[in-house]
Amino acid sequence: MPAFPQAADASTRNTQLRANLRHATHTIRAKRAAAVAELDDWSRLRAAGAAIKDRTLRHLDQYLEQLESAVTAAGGQVHWAADADEANRIVTELVRATGEREVVKVKSMATQEIGLNGALATAGITAYETDLAELIVQLGDDLPSHILVPAIHRNRGEIRDIFTEKMSQWGRPAPEGLTDAPADLAEAARLHLREKFLNAKVGISGANFMVAETGTLVVVESEGNGRMCLTLPETLISVVGIEKVVPTFQDLEVFLQLLPRSSTAERMNPYTSTWTGTTDADGPRAFHLVLLDNGRTDTLADTVGRQALRCIRCSACLNVCPVYERAGGHAYGSAYPGPIGAILTPQLRGTQSELDASLPYASSLCGACYEVCPVAIDIPEILVHLRERVVEGGPASVRGTRTVIKPAKGHAAERAAMRAARWALDHPRLLRTGQRLASRTRRFHPRRLPGPGRAWSDTRELPKVPEESFRDWWQRTRGGSGTGSGTEGRKKTT
Amino acid sequence: MDSRALVMARIRRALTDVPRTETPGEVPVERTYHRVHGDRTAARTVDLLAENLADYRALVHRADAPSSLPALIARLLADRGATSVAVPPGLPGSWLSDVPDTVRRVPDTAELTPHDLDAVSSVVTGCAVAIAETGTVVLDAAPDQGRRRITLVPDHHICVIRVTDQVVDSVPEALERLDPVRPLTWISGPSATSDIELDRVEGVHGPRTLEVILAGPESAGQS
């Protein structure tokens, strides 16, 4: 994957994409604002949501042990995966053990993060995505571009073409003469997928929440494909990040108010399913929970970045982000696009690759993402913190080991500039000479920077150098009066 | 070291800033949010439930008068042209008493396959609780509601809410009534998707028609 600036340079030229995204993000952000305004205690719910997650994260080991016992007691089996490969291996083995070669899947960020479908395909197992948008993405041999509406970059005409061309390769073909009306497209998906649901023996899901106290898992959805995958198969495998645990069943009262209104701007999403282990003759007979680390403990180790693990994947931050709106989700090169992706991806994967090192810069730091976040993640704060890590390096946890990472490549100019500035500020006499020189030569200053600075000055006005520096002005107007000559004056006398 | 031990060790190393003596209870969680939004009479709460259900495109009916419930259920099934109806084991017998015998009763049993259910027109159930502020009915797989799948595969769901004792105002009030050990299904309007250009379309996989009956004290009986 290219770094964000290169990817965005290409995607921002796609006018269709920009038009689709602009329509989608503006529609949904207006609806969300209205849904949130219905609750006059929103800020208190938000504070409670953040606090519950903080409590959980600060005692994550205890809550995971409690969760494991509760799930096991309820008839489920718990597996632990330190990274993506291990999670994929566990799921593959579990599916193999059933003797099945096909699985139905509920939309899940965690399985997308670990590339589960690809791993299953390598093992000869076909995973069918059953969320309508995920189906569009899968049939189109495409990647999701939004957390909540993964096919937001596709318009109805493109979807019709994808269905007409590809459905027959995966199962029931699209009906003859399929139109591009959303109702007809949804009907085609219903028919295509129903065949899969009715025959499915294995379902794979993620979860929105896991309750430590009771071992209850929660999936929030709209279409009913989730319910199909969670109840019709004989075996259910859920892959869930360790940060998704909440302490008590009562805590759901906070998140089931925060999540639907923040994500789809509804009072409540059409379907929410909860299950606690297995239930006799109702739903799957076998339940496996795969608890996923894959960089989450590294994120946990960073006291500034830790708050990113509060995220409940509502996608409100995407819909208000001016950068996401123009660049689109693919430019972020990760399952997690938008502002949350810009802070989560470099923490989960580290900042070593060029792409991951570029993500903390994929923001204008306008702060809109923080304003809408239902669990009050200070995204701008983490962005700045990660930028520092990229430029300066420093202590970080990598795969569970505390280490000191080197500055990322490609930031040499920035580092050199910062070093020069530090040096100049430590030498006031030189600074003053430099400022005077700059003032006197201002007529000859270029409008654009040469060399590596050119990209920066291509899109910005260079600030004009004033005729006289502040220090000189101060000296001239107040310096002689003897009323507190400031740092400069003191330095001179010593 | 197995992965469980590895992940646990990583977590403990990651949390070196958390004092060893700190307990979860010492991390403050202020529950100053409302238990209920607004102050309503019981009748107004039921009206709000009806409004919010309808806003999410459920079809809402009232059965206030004594014994009007069986006639209403029979009419809704007939209007729909239902030829068969899935029946939870504990559904009050009177509820289907006006439905003609030509409509096949399909009892909810463990032997019923998903394919069998796919051939069923409609399903009639009770519920565990209904939430006015969000327009939600919650099923908990009790005998009058049956297994989760019977309200999922048929395309038409008729759900009866007893207004006397099953309607609450808010999400917090609903949760404290529910047993987490039971599988729960929260339903707010029919199945819906907005995945195509954000146009809302009812029904992709779940029932495309949800009819809710608000049953008065005398019509609903006790299940």
Side-chain angles (χ1 to χ4, degrees), chain A residues 23-25 27-28 31 38-41 44-45 48 51-52 54-55 57-65 68 80-82 86 130-134 136 148-152 154-157 159 182-183 185-187 189-190 193-194 197-199 214 216 222-225 227-228 230-232 242 248-254 256-257 261 265-276 279 281-284 293-295 297 300-303 306 399-402, chain B residues 2-38 51-53 55-56 108-110 113-115 117-118 131-137 139-141 146-157 170-208:
Chain A
H23 166 68
T25 54
T27 306
I28 202 161
K31 280 191 189 165
E38 277 191 9
L39 302 187
D40 60 1
D41 59 341
R44 296 179 197 181
L45 281 166
I52 292 168
D54 282 350
R55 174 181 284 184
L57 292 171
R58 287 177 75 88
H59 297 278
L60 190 59
D61 48 344
Q62 285 184 43
Y63 286 118
L64 288 172
E65 279 174 350
E68 183 184 42
W80 297 74
E86 187 173 21
T130 64
D131 171 78
L132 176 54
E134 291 287 354
I136 294 165
L148 180 73
V149 271
I152 198 73
R154 296 288 199 181
N155 56 29
R156 59 188 72 190
I159 296 168
L185 296 171
E187 174 72 11
R190 180 185 179 94
L193 286 171
R194 188 149 280 226
F197 290 133
L198 297 182
N199 296 313
T214 58
T216 305
S222 293
E223 295 172 9
N225 64 303
R227 293 181 62 193
M228 292 274 183
L230 299 171
T231 55
L232 296 185
I242 51 175
T248 67
F249 191 64
Q250 191 204 345
D251 292 330
L252 295 176
E253 72 188 16
V254 174
L256 289 181
Q257 294 191 76
R261 287 180 199 260
E266 292 169 300
R267 293 184 195 102
M268 189 63 82
N269 49 289
Y271 295 130
T272 297
S273 298
T274 80
W275 70 100
T276 305
T279 306
D282 185 1
D293 178 349
N294 203 35
T297 46
L300 190 69
D302 186 315
T303 50
R306 178 182 298 166
R399 296 299 169 212
T401 307
R402 293 270 180 185
Chain B
D2 71 359
S3 293
R4 182 188 191 281
L6 178 67
V7 174
M8 279 296 179
R10 284 178 178 178
I11 292 171
R12 284 168 190 144
R13 265 204 305 280
L15 292 171
T16 44
D17 61 307
V18 177
R20 278 173 179 279
T21 53
E22 182 183 289
T23 61
E26 286 169 334
V27 186
V29 175
E30 293 201 15
R31 296 185 193 267
T32 52
Y33 50 86
H34 302 323
R35 299 265 322 141
V36 175
H37 295 87
E51 282 163 29
N52 284 338
L53 279 164
D55 194 32
Y56 284 178
D108 170 31
T109 63
T113 67
H115 283 280
L117 264 179
D118 194 34
I131 308 166
E133 286 182 6
T134 59
T136 305
V137 292
L139 309 187
D140 70 354
R147 289 172 180 77
R148 286 174 271 178
R149 62 191 189 182
I150 67 168
T151 55
L152 173 63
V153 181
D155 203 17
H156 179 219
H157 179 194
S170 64
V171 171
E173 288 185 343
L175 276 165
E176 70 184 12
R177 283 206 188 191
L178 293 164
D179 179 357
V181 171
R182 308 185 72 92
L184 304 176
T185 305
W186 298 44
I187 300 174
S188 310
S191 160
T193 184
S194 300
D195 279 342
I196 301 165
E197 298 183 19
L198 290 183
D199 271 0
R200 190 176 169 104
V201 178
E202 263 72 55
V204 193
H205 306 301
R208 279 177 286 197

Side-chain angles (χ1 to χ4, degrees), chain A residues 131-151:
Chain A
D131 171 78
L132 176 54
E134 291 287 354
L135 174 72
I136 294 165
V137 168
Q138 186 174 50
L139 293 177
D141 199 17
D142 195 0
L143 288 167
S145 65
H146 190 282
I147 289 174
L148 180 73
V149 271

Side-chain angles (χ1 to χ4, degrees), chain A residues 163-476:
Chain A
F163 280 11
T164 307
E165 283 167 31
K166 297 289 181 62
M167 266 186 176
S168 58
Q169 295 168 27
W170 287 79
R172 180 171 172 154
E176 287 287 322
L178 180 64
T179 76
D180 66 0
D184 289 349
L185 296 171
E187 174 72 11
R190 180 185 179 94
L191 295 169
H192 177 79
L193 286 171
R194 188 149 280 226
E195 177 181 72
K196 306 267 187 291
F197 290 133
L198 297 182
N199 296 313
K201 297 283 184 284
V202 182
I204 295 179
S205 83
N208 295 91
F209 307 102
M210 308 184 284
V211 181
E213 169 192 51
T214 58
T216 305
L217 270 77
V218 183
V219 163
V220 168
E221 52 135 359
S222 293
E223 295 172 9
N225 64 303
R227 293 181 62 193
M228 292 274 183
C229 296
L230 299 171
T231 55
L232 296 185
E234 291 167 6
T235 301
L236 173 61
I237 304 165
S238 300
V239 182
V240 190
I242 51 175
E243 84 284 14
K244 290 288 175 101
V245 66
V246 297
T248 67
F249 191 64
Q250 191 204 345
D251 292 330
L252 295 176
E253 72 188 16
V254 174
F255 297 106
L256 289 181
Q257 294 191 76
L258 289 174
L259 180 54
R261 287 180 199 260
S262 286
S263 62
T264 51
E266 292 169 300
R267 293 184 195 102
M268 189 63 82
N269 49 289
Y271 295 130
T272 297
S273 298
T274 80
W275 70 100
T276 305
T278 55
T279 306
D280 284 344
D282 185 1
R285 284 176 299 184
F287 169 56
H288 297 275
L289 173 60
V290 182
L291 292 171
L292 178 70
D293 178 349
N294 203 35
R296 284 160 178 75
T297 46
D298 291 338
T299 311
L300 190 69
D302 186 315
T303 50
V304 177
R306 178 182 298 166
Q307 56 180 314
L309 297 177
R310 288 185 203 147
C311 176
I312 55 174
R313 313 282 189 258
C314 72
S315 75
C317 62
L318 277 63
N319 300 324
V320 295
C321 178
V323 176
Y324 173 85
E325 181 188 326
R326 288 161 181 83
H330 291 157
Y332 295 80
S334 150
Y336 306 104
I340 186 64
I343 58 166
L344 203 52
T345 307
Q347 294 203 83
L348 294 177
R349 299 201 294 219
T351 48
Q352 286 80 359
S353 80
E354 202 191 341
L355 166 64
D356 295 332
S358 73
L359 287 175
Y361 293 87
S363 166
S364 62
L365 297 180
C366 76
C369 47
Y370 171 55
E371 291 300 315
V372 297
C373 178
V375 285
I377 300 170
D378 193 340
I379 296 176
E381 182 192 20
I382 304 176
L383 284 167
V384 172
H385 171 69
L386 291 174
R387 286 181 189 189
E388 190 184 325
R389 179 181 299 172
V390 167
V391 176
E392 298 285 331
S397 173
V398 177
R399 296 299 169 212
T401 307
R402 293 270 180 185
T403 175
V404 176
I405 56 169
K406 288 185 194 142
K409 284 179 197 151
H411 288 264
E414 198 174 339
R415 257 196 325 280
M418 293 309 284
R419 263 202 304 273
R422 204 178 302 143
W423 183 75
L425 290 166
D426 281 346
H427 299 78
R429 199 183 291 261
L430 265 160
L431 180 65
R432 192 163 60 158
T433 311
Q435 284 172 335
R436 283 189 183 146
L437 187 66
S439 292
R440 284 175 200 150
T441 57
R442 57 202 284 267
R443 281 191 300 134
F444 308 111
H445 291 181
R447 301 295 303 275
R448 285 188 173 182
L449 292 171
R454 217 176 77 192
W456 192 84
S457 59
D458 270 352
T459 50
R460 291 170 178 86
E461 285 283 308
L462 280 181
K464 287 204 175 79
V465 176
E467 277 182 57
E468 186 179 24
S469 76
F470 174 77
R471 284 150 177 263
D472 285 352
W473 172 82
W474 184 269
Q475 276 291 317
R476 186 164 56 78

